[in-house]
Amino acid sequence: MKKEMMRRTEHIWYPYTQMGDNFSPKLVEEAKGVNLKINGQWVIDGISSWWSVLHGYNHHSLNDALKIQIDKFSHVMIGGLIHEPAIELAKSLSSICGGLLNRVFFSDSGSVGIEVAIKLSIQYWMNKKKPNKTKMICFKKSYHGDTTGAMSISDPEDSMHHIFSPILMKHHFFEAPSSDPDIKQGQLKTLDVFLSKRHEEIAAIIIEPLVQCAGGFNFFEADYLDDLRYLSDKYNVLLIYDEVATGFCRTGSFFAYHQSKTEPDILVCGKGLTGGYLGLAATITSDKVFRAFYEKSKPEKAFMHGPTFMGNPLACSLAIKSIELATKNNYSDKFLKIQKILEEELAGFTHSLIKGIRIKGGIGVIEVHNKSDIEGFGDYSFNRGAWLRGFESFIYTMPPAIIEEHDVRKITRIMKDYFLGKK
Ligand SMILES: Cc1ncc(COP(=O)(O)O)c(C=O)c1O
């Protein structure tokens, strides 16, 4: 079976995978609700197809939204043209952000949304006649995507991108935000001192609010964001929140930053924006940022970026429906209920191989001391009925919002049994 699959997929180049190792992908035959059918067997998808699926697979309302739009038109360029789904979605996103972030630049993936945020923040200062402000303040354990600009602001040492560091633009990295109040104070002091000396070269601070995901699953408190906002204002630098992973209720509020008291100047979201159906990202800016690009007879101040498929109408129609479902059915509450179950099942669990357990909203993470200890975890959980994967020294679950309680408990049972079997 393994050999047959490898032969059938010989023209596919897989991501993040040494295909020369004993590697065999699993062929999905159907997907419905929270389940994937693989080799005739239904398994729970505990990671929502890289954290994007919110309402489950094959959702009738999303399918209908897509069908209605496909019968009108599937795509038109946004340059010079516009369409109703993009107009409506931009309005909806702005309203979710309380009207303060009110200009939406669409693109087709989280990474490109991040590239847009980087370019916007640098050009913002050029347009304001401060061309030296080109550097970003970034954090260790951050991950912002795989494109070149996004790699340059992701953790430079521990990340999967470290081999590219010689060719990446150099930015300034600080320790990953800590939840420990004393450590946090020290970290903010360091940042304050740095900014007091170097703010003239800093365009923006960029951070994943509350949960740094793929760079190391570091969790921190909302007041850290308030402090970053204070420093951004004090030193005249922009503040960017990357909510590509944390957006759409996953941490228990529509956007994670809603748990803080402040707003960023630029917000990036993607992944769950279409409920996990199609690629779409949004880089949303405040009026202050937009105004720096807006001037009569100054073409050089315009933002020169425009992905071919930006604001694709199929993707926008899905996003409108997805946001409607998430709001109507109170997904923040659903993820908080998932958090409660994860806490009941995992919070008190200990094992000598485990270094720590972290839970926030619909995100449950177990970190181990040695990554070799979770090497067989993917196959183990698949054989027990759940699609879960380990990466680096983490195993985790981020299920769709619609998952039932018994399925969450099944996932956590599998996670715990994996360790108990290692005694
Ligand atoms: C926080 C964050 N930013 C950006 C990205 C990149 O998004 P995409 O994979 O859609 O390019 C990711 C992807 O995992 C992410 O987690």
Side-chain angles (χ1 to χ4, degrees):
M1 178 77 93
K2 264 192 172 181
K3 272 207 178 120
E4 165 65 5
M5 262 323 279
M6 282 165 90
R7 195 191 55 73
R8 279 187 68 195
T9 71
E10 67 187 349
H11 298 292
I12 307 275
W13 191 319
Y14 288 91
Y16 312 121
T17 303
Q18 177 43 266
M19 292 179 281
D21 286 341
N22 192 13
F23 163 73
S24 165
K26 294 176 172 34
L27 186 72
V28 176
E29 294 147 0
E30 279 178 63
K32 190 138 196 65
V34 294
N35 297 303
L36 305 172
K37 189 175 170 195
I38 295 168
N39 296 335
Q41 182 196 342
W42 286 96
V43 295
I44 306 166
D45 179 1
I47 48 181
S48 307
S49 279
W50 272 329
W51 330 333
S52 64
V53 174
L54 275 184
H55 319 280
Y57 295 96
N58 220 337
H59 192 285
H60 62 95
S61 305
L62 293 176
N63 292 359
D64 287 347
L66 202 47
K67 286 175 196 159
I68 291 168
Q69 182 57 39
I70 220 166
D71 283 337
K72 293 182 186 162
F73 54 95
S74 297
H75 185 62
V76 291
M77 63 193 273
I78 277 194
L81 303 175
I82 195 63
H83 50 79
E84 286 298 341
I87 296 170
E88 198 184 324
L89 177 58
K91 197 169 161 204
S92 161
L93 286 169
S94 168
S95 141
I96 287 162
C97 296
L100 294 159
L101 297 161
N102 56 19
R103 284 283 168 170
V104 181
F105 191 98
F106 288 114
S107 57
D108 32 27
S109 72
S111 301
V112 176
I114 290 291
E115 298 291 332
V116 169
I118 297 171
K119 285 174 67 176
L120 277 177
S121 59
I122 293 172
Q123 192 180 340
Y124 171 85
W125 291 113
M126 287 173 177
N127 287 358
K128 291 205 153 262
K129 306 220 168 351
K130 290 191 183 278
N132 295 332
K133 284 169 86 70
T134 57
K135 299 287 180 195
M136 313 290 288
I137 285 189
C138 332
F139 295 89
K140 291 187 184 165
K141 293 192 191 290
S142 59
Y143 172 82
H144 298 287
D146 293 343
T147 49
T148 311
M151 286 196 293
S152 75
I153 54 167
S154 300
D155 189 315
E157 282 150 26
D158 290 337
S159 81
M160 55 187 140
H161 300 134
H162 68 272
I163 62 161
F164 290 103
S165 23
I167 60 109
L168 296 179
M169 202 177 156
K170 299 285 173 265
H171 295 292
H172 301 287
F173 281 85
F174 290 81
E175 288 304 319
S178 173
S179 304
D180 178 305
D182 294 333
I183 300 176
K184 183 193 120 177
Q185 278 321 313
Q187 290 181 334
L188 291 164
K189 181 83 205 144
T190 307
L191 208 47
D192 195 340
V193 171
F194 177 85
L195 278 165
S196 70
K197 293 183 189 139
R198 309 278 292 268
H199 63 95
E200 291 295 348
E201 63 184 81
I202 305 299
I205 301 174
I206 181 159
I207 191 157
E208 296 154 80
L210 306 192
V211 179
Q212 292 180 294
C213 285
F217 284 118
N218 177 53
F219 292 26
F220 59 96
E221 303 302 320
D223 60 357
Y224 205 102
L225 301 174
D226 301 333
D227 291 321
L228 287 184
R229 178 74 267 177
Y230 168 78
L231 291 175
S232 310
D233 292 341
K234 181 173 173 188
Y235 293 111
N236 216 13
V237 302
L238 297 176
L239 182 59
I240 305 171
Y241 289 161
D242 176 354
E243 295 248 16
V244 172
T246 50
F248 306 99
C249 309
R250 214 164 262 287
T251 68
S253 50
F254 198 94
F255 286 118
Y257 86 86
H258 289 154
Q259 292 173 50
S260 76
K261 297 193 190 80
T262 53
E263 286 90 33
D265 300 294
I266 302 176
L267 174 82
V268 187
C269 61
K271 285 192 186 287
L273 178 55
T274 61
Y277 263 54
L278 281 178
L280 182 69
T283 305
I284 315 172
T285 81
S286 66
D287 213 44
K288 171 179 114 174
V289 173
F290 178 72
R291 290 282 143 201
F293 292 76
Y294 185 87
E295 198 173 326
K296 208 170 165 23
S297 308
K298 288 271 185 214
E300 69 278 13
K301 285 198 170 181
F303 185 51
M304 303 308 281
H305 196 110
T308 303
F309 289 103
M310 72 181 287
N312 171 268
L314 298 175
C316 288
S317 304
L318 282 167
I320 294 162
K321 181 53 75 179
S322 173
I323 290 172
E324 186 191 308
L325 287 172
T327 317
K328 200 171 75 193
N329 298 308
N330 202 347
Y331 275 17
S332 295
D333 228 44
K334 280 197 193 297
F335 279 120
L336 288 174
K337 285 190 182 120
I338 295 172
Q339 170 174 327
K340 204 159 161 284
I341 305 166
L342 292 173
E343 280 166 354
E344 277 169 28
E345 293 287 347
L346 294 180
F349 184 65
T350 53
H351 189 278
S352 58
L353 300 182
I354 295 179
K355 187 172 172 193
I357 293 180
R358 300 193 270 288
I359 295 157
K360 177 88 193 160
I363 308 171
V365 181
I366 299 180
E367 181 174 10
V368 292
H369 295 286
N370 300 310
K371 57 183 178 185
S372 58
D373 286 327
I374 50 172
E375 260 162 27
F377 176 70
D379 285 340
Y380 174 86
S381 60
F382 181 72
N383 293 332
R384 292 279 307 268
W387 172 239
L388 296 166
R389 302 206 312 172
F391 85 96
E392 293 298 325
S393 51
F394 306 98
I395 62 173
Y396 70 95
T397 181
M398 279 205 214
I402 56 142
I403 193 167
E404 301 277 352
E405 177 173 344
H406 59 88
D407 280 339
V408 182
R409 292 198 197 274
K410 181 169 175 180
I411 288 172
T412 52
R413 183 76 263 149
I414 293 170
M415 288 169 133
K416 290 191 285 190
D417 283 351
Y418 175 76
F419 290 101
L420 294 172
K422 294 224 159 226
K423 267 205 170 135

